[in-house]
């Protein structure tokens, strides 16, 4: 049920408050009340109104000075009726369910009628004083014209836009300009703006011929008479519009001032002439059209009859139209720029998306790569966290992209973050963001990777390098909990699929207390093992030509291929840096190759040993050879398996690990039982 409180303090109506069913509205001196009474005689929370059983109820909250209802003190609850008056201190509050009944309908009513209306909500003791006060108010004699007669609610456009409903007291010129401005704002091209402006000029002036002339948008200098072209023209009672003279155009363009010429007779400098050389105008107006304080065009209007002459009022009107045209052109220009920018941005996004999708395509035909592709196909459609494992340079980010673009999230963001490249504090800031002033150097708010990847995919490379403190917070987010930016207290919830990648042995890291066990199990939902390049010999030549084509296109070099010797050299190379190394070697060869064919001499291969070069590992107590733990572990597992004729149970017992752990390491290191 709609209801209102109409508030009067002293002799002035001050406010109207709408009451909402289901919400209790309080009245009192405190600023938190729905109706605030700035009078010390009012209690902080004086009374309240609430809707119950289909009626509005007033309740005094044991106020210090009490509440008057229709001049009588109230106790307990009171069911309000329309026109009831609540008085607290010097504040009179009328309860109504129809605003039109809250005030006198006739503004010409005399003071007695108004006082009669006010008396309904004023106690007898104050009524005479109020009447005296009203009689002494400046500007009020027998009429009370300063009091509003009604509160009007109306939907729809302003009446100024409709000639038939134009309010009295509003000049035709003002109403016409209002209509012109409104219509100009709805135009979406120069021709529409021009036609609207000309219609407005004919509506608001005595012109019977007019035109809008504009200079090109890309003109960097002040336009001349030769630069402005007629966009649209209109005539009434004349056969054709005649362009303004060059002298008049140059005068307005150079000075920036409008010109009104009346009774110009045969003045050839101002009056246009027809094809026969006859004067076609007797009075003329030319006004500039400005865009960002620069003249971009002209409004030209004239009268062809001596009986009707354009006036200074017509000049002012056309100047106003010119200003509105300038604003409309500015708005149109910005809209066109935004549309163009939006179109370009969409095109760039599509191009980047296609590029990313193409870059996520894996090159190769080897069985090892086929197994990875199958794993991707199975993992991509789900929401499960993916753990990608493999040596450095095998293309773990490529695998992550393939998972993303194969998932339902492919149209959303794919965000990458290398955990090894940042310190603990910076890593936390990158993941979760920070507020301005959260730490030294935090000059503005920063959105973290989790927020940036919302609804998309977040890839965390080198997850094994994440500190224990960050791991704890990261785990909470993975479990679906909200997080806060550094230095902030706002809870943020995101929907992000996480793909983690590492070249570390996380099992060892867990055993050594460097990686949380619970986080390990949370990440290792779906595991994808990426084989090193040396385990994919069938793919090497395909990758060679792929990278050659790529860098040949980028550099413009006319490289046609590889010599047989170069292919053989690259095939037998062990690739300790995997695909990343192959890519860099081919790029260098394309750039530095002196011929059209890449030869062995163009290749720059390293002498680094790979983890598969176990034959070179000699454990000698008297000498030291630099080997990684992975190399040693692989060598030892391989020797143990070979010694026990690949009996996995016996080998696992000797190595002191579970049979499942041994199987996983065999798969990870690509160990194969030799043919007997």
């Amino acid at each position: 049920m709609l209801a209102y409180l109409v508030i009067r303090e002293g002799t002035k109506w001050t406010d109207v408050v709408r009451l909402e069913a289901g919400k209790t509205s309080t009245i009192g001196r405190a600023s938190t009340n729905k109706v605030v009474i700035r009078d010390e005689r009012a209690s902080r929370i004086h009374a309240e109104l609430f809707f119950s059983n289909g009626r509005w109820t007033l309740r005094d909250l044991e106020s210090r000075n009490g509440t008057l209802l229709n001049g009588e003190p109230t106790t307990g609850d009171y069911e309000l009726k329309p026109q009831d008056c609540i008085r607290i201190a010097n504040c009179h509050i009328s309860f109504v369910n129809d605003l039109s009944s809250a005030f006198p309908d006739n503004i010409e009513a005399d003071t007695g009628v108004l006082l009669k209306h006010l008396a309904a909500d004023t106690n007898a003791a104050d009524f005479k004083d109020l009447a005296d006060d009203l009689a002494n108010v400046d500007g009020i004699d027998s009429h009370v014209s300063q009091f509003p007669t009604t509160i009007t609610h109306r939907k729809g456009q302003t009446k100024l836009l409709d000639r038939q409903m134009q309010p009295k007291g509003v000049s035709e010129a003002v109403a016409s300009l209002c209509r012109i401005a409104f219509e100009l704002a709805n135009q979406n091209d120069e021709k529409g703006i021009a036609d609207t402006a000309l219609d407005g000029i004919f509506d608001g002036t005595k012109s019977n011929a007019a035109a809008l002339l504009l200079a090109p948008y890309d003109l960097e200098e002040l336009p001349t008479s030769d630069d402005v072209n007629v966009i649209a023209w209109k005539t009434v009672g004349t056969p054709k519009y005649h362009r303004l003279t060059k002298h008049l155009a140059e005068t307005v363009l150079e000075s920036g001032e409008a010109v009104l010429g009346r009774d110009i007779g045969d003045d050839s400098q101002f009056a246009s002439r027809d094809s026969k050389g006859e004067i076609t105008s007797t009075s003329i107006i030319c006004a500039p059209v400005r865009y960002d304080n620069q003249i971009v065009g002209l409004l030209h209007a004239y009268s062809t009859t001596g009986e009707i002459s354009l006036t200074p009022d017509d000049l002012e009107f056309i100047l106003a139209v010119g200003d509105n045209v300038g604003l409309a052109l500015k708005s149109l220009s910005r809209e066109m720029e935004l549309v163009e920018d939006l179109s370009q941005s969409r095109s760039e996004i599509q191009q980047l998306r296609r590029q990313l999708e193409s870059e996520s395509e894996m090159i190769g035909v080897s069985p090892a790569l086929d197994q990875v592709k199958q794993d991707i196909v199975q993992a991509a459609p789900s929401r499960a966290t993916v753990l990608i494992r493999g040596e450095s340079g095998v293309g773990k980010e490529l695998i992550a992209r393939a998972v993303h673009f194969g998932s339902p999230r492919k149209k959303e963001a794919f965000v990458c973050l290398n955990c090894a490249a940042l310190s603990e504090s910076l890593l936390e800031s990158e993941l979760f963001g920070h507020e301005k002033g959260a730490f030294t150097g935090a000059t503005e708010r920063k959105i973290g990777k989790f927020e940036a990847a919302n609804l998309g995919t977040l890839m965390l490379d080198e997850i094994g390098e994440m500190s224990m403190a960050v791991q704890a917070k990261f785990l909470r987010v993975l479990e679906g909990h909200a997080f806060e930016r550094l230095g902030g207290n706002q809870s943020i919830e995101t929907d992000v699929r996480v793909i983690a990648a590492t070249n570390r042995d996380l099992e060892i890291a867990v055993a050594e207390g460097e990686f949380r066990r619970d986080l390990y199990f949370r990440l290792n939902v779906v595991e994808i093992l990426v084989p090193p390049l040396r385990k994919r010999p069938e793919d090497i030549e395909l990758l060679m030509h792929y990278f050659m084509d790529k860098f040949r296109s980028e550099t413009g070099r006319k490289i046609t291929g590889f010599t047989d010797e170069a292919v053989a050299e690259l095939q037998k190379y062990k690739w300790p840096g995997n695909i990343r190394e192959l890519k860099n070697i081919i790029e260098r060869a394309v750039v530095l190759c002196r011929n059209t064919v890449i030869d062995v001499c163009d290749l720059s291969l390293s002498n680094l040993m790979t983890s598969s070069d176990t034959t070179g590992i000699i454990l000698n107590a008297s000498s030291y050879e630099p080997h990684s733990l992975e190399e040693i572990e692989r060598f030892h597992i391989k020797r143990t398996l070979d010694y026990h004729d690949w009996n996995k149970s016996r080998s696992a017992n000797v190595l002191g690990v579970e049979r499942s752990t041994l199987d996983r390491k065999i798969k990870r290191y690509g160990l194969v039982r030799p043919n007997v």
Side-chain angles (χ1 to χ4, degrees), residues 116-177:
K116 182 179 179 182
H117 173 77
L118 297 177
D121 59 1
T122 307
N123 65 29
D126 292 337
F127 185 76
K128 187 177 183 300
D129 293 338
L130 179 59
D132 294 339
D133 291 341
L134 285 173
N136 295 324
V137 174
D138 292 339
I140 297 182
D141 44 23
S142 63
H143 303 287
V144 193
S145 59
Q146 89 226 42
F147 286 89
T149 60
T150 185
I151 297 177
T152 303
H153 291 249
R154 191 176 70 79
K155 295 182 179 180
Q157 296 180 333
T158 172
K159 294 180 180 179
L160 294 174
L161 302 178
D162 191 337
R163 288 188 180 88
Q164 305 300 322
M165 300 177 62
Q166 183 177 310
K168 295 181 180 179
V170 178
S171 70
E172 287 287 344
V174 172
S176 182
L177 286 173

Side-chain angles (χ1 to χ4, degrees), residues 30-61:
S31 59
T32 54
N33 291 291
K34 183 81 168 180
V35 178
V36 180
I37 301 175
R38 306 195 181 280
D39 193 314
E40 290 297 324
R41 290 174 292 177
S43 301
R44 288 187 55 80
I45 304 178
H46 199 105
E48 64 181 12
L49 290 93
F50 55 91
F51 191 75
S52 177
N53 298 323
R55 292 182 175 274
W56 284 99
T57 300
L58 169 69
R59 175 183 293 166
D60 182 85
L61 300 176

